[in-house]
Amino acid sequence: YDSKKDKNGNELVISLKTLVNALYAKDISQKVNTALETKQRKGEFIGAFPPYGYLKSPEDKHRLIPDPEAAPVVREIFQWRAEGIGINMIARYLNDRGTPCPAMHHYLNGYKKKKPEGTGAIWQGQIIKKITRYPVYVGHMAQGKTKKSLSDGIPLTNVDKNWIIAHNTHEAIVSQEIFDKVQSISEQRCQEHRMLRGKYPSTENIFKGLLVCGDCGTKMSRYKNVSPAGTARYTYICRVYAENLSGQGCT
C-alpha cells in the first residue's frame, strides 16, 4: 500500500475486501466439501442424476432404487461380459438393438436437457468398461470418483482409487459372484494387452487428432494388428462406425 499515491485509502480498502472475500470463499468451500464427504460416507447419494440402471427414490432422493427399464440392460451387460464377450462387441449388440445409451436414457427421462449427439448418443466400449467395474451394481455406494476443491486449490480431477464406498446401501442389480467374475476377466484381458503391448512396441501416432470421419466428423482412432510373423499394421477407423453395427450413417 502506497499512502503517497492513494491519500483517500481507497486502494487499501479494495485490497482488504479482496483478501477477506477470498478467505471467505475458501472457508465456505471447505465446509461444503466436509458436508458432502460426510453424506458420502453415510452412503447417501449426492449426484445430480443417478447411475445408469437406478432411479432416485421418490421418498428419499439420497437413496437409489432399481430402474425397471435400465436394470435388465445392466444385467445383460454383466452376463455377456461374464461369458467372455468383449466390451466393444457388447456395445455393438446394444447399438444394433436400438437400446438407448446412458446419456440418451438420462435425456429421455428428463435428467439431461441437451440431447446427446455423435459418439455421445451411442454405446461405446469404454461405457461398458465403466459400468462393469462400478460397485454400485452390487449394492455398494461408490462416490468420490472426481474431486474439486477451491480451498485446496484442486481443479476437477478424476480419482482412480480411494473412492468413498459405503456397503449394502441399496438393492443390488447383479450378484457379487458375477461381479467378481467380470473383474477377474477384465484383469486377465488387461494383463494380456500389457504383455502384447510390451512385446510389440507402438510407434508414434503422427496422425493423432488430424484424421476425422468423412461422415460424422468424429476423430479417427488408430488400431494396431500384429501378424503371426510379428509385423505390426496400423489402421484408422471411426469409433461411431466401429462400435455401432448400423453405423449411424457412417461408411
Side-chain angles (χ1 to χ4, degrees):
Y1 171 65
D2 190 343
S3 61
K4 188 174 183 179
K5 289 183 178 180
D6 184 16
K7 297 185 180 300
N8 296 324
N10 292 329
E11 186 177 320
L12 176 61
V13 172
I14 293 174
S15 298
L16 288 174
K17 282 185 176 181
T18 302
L19 175 63
V20 171
N21 289 337
L23 292 174
Y24 179 72
K26 288 188 175 182
D27 181 58
I28 291 295
S29 171
Q30 188 173 14
K31 290 178 179 177
V32 169
N33 286 337
T34 301
L36 292 178
E37 186 174 331
T38 300
K39 287 181 174 290
Q40 289 174 335
R41 295 194 182 282
K42 290 170 61 179
E44 297 182 18
F45 180 73
I46 62 170
F49 48 86
Y52 181 76
Y54 283 100
L55 298 172
K56 290 183 180 180
S57 171
E59 291 79 19
D60 182 2
K61 65 179 181 179
H62 297 299
R63 188 171 66 86
L64 299 178
I65 58 175
D67 182 349
E69 184 179 342
V73 179
V74 173
R75 295 189 187 98
E76 282 186 309
I77 291 173
F78 273 91
Q79 187 60 47
W80 284 332
R81 192 66 177 132
E83 293 172 0
I85 300 176
I87 55 176
N88 289 330
M89 185 57 69
I90 293 175
R92 291 179 184 179
Y93 286 164
L94 295 171
N95 285 323
D96 188 50
R97 194 173 68 182
T99 302
C101 68
M104 183 63 73
H105 178 76
H106 285 138
Y107 168 76
L108 295 174
N109 285 273
Y111 288 112
K112 289 187 174 182
K113 294 182 179 179
K114 186 177 180 181
K115 185 177 181 179
E117 299 177 349
T119 55
I122 65 170
W123 286 93
Q124 300 177 52
Q126 289 302 312
I127 297 176
I128 305 298
K129 183 178 180 180
K130 288 180 179 180
I131 287 177
T132 52
R133 68 188 290 252
Y134 199 10
V136 71
Y137 298 112
V138 287
H140 308 323
M141 189 71 73
Q143 299 183 99
K145 294 186 295 180
T146 60
K147 186 175 184 179
K148 181 179 180 181
S149 175
L150 173 64
S151 59
D152 297 327
I154 301 175
L156 186 62
T157 306
N158 289 323
V159 179
D160 292 332
K161 297 180 179 179
N162 299 321
W163 294 352
I164 299 176
I165 299 179
H167 295 273
N168 304 316
T169 56
H170 54 274
E171 182 180 342
I173 292 179
V174 298
S175 67
Q176 187 70 49
E177 180 183 0
I178 291 182
F179 184 83
D180 292 339
K181 184 177 181 180
V182 168
Q183 306 318 303
S184 177
I185 292 175
S186 297
E187 180 59 30
Q188 182 181 351
R189 296 286 175 86
C190 285
Q191 290 179 0
E192 293 173 353
H193 178 71
R194 284 194 291 265
M195 290 177 61
L196 185 64
R197 185 173 58 187
K199 188 176 181 181
Y200 303 104
S202 296
T203 61
E204 181 185 1
N205 186 1
I206 60 175
F207 295 112
K208 184 177 182 180
L210 300 178
L211 299 181
V212 298
C213 173
D215 293 318
C216 70
T218 300
K219 292 181 180 180
M220 305 283 274
S221 298
R222 188 178 77 161
Y223 289 82
K224 181 174 72 173
N225 299 304
V226 181
S227 68
T231 303
R233 178 173 176 267
Y234 296 96
T235 57
Y236 288 84
I237 193 169
C238 170
R239 287 193 296 117
V240 176
Y241 177 81
E243 298 177 346
N244 186 0
L245 291 178
S246 61
Q248 288 221 348
C250 296
T251 57

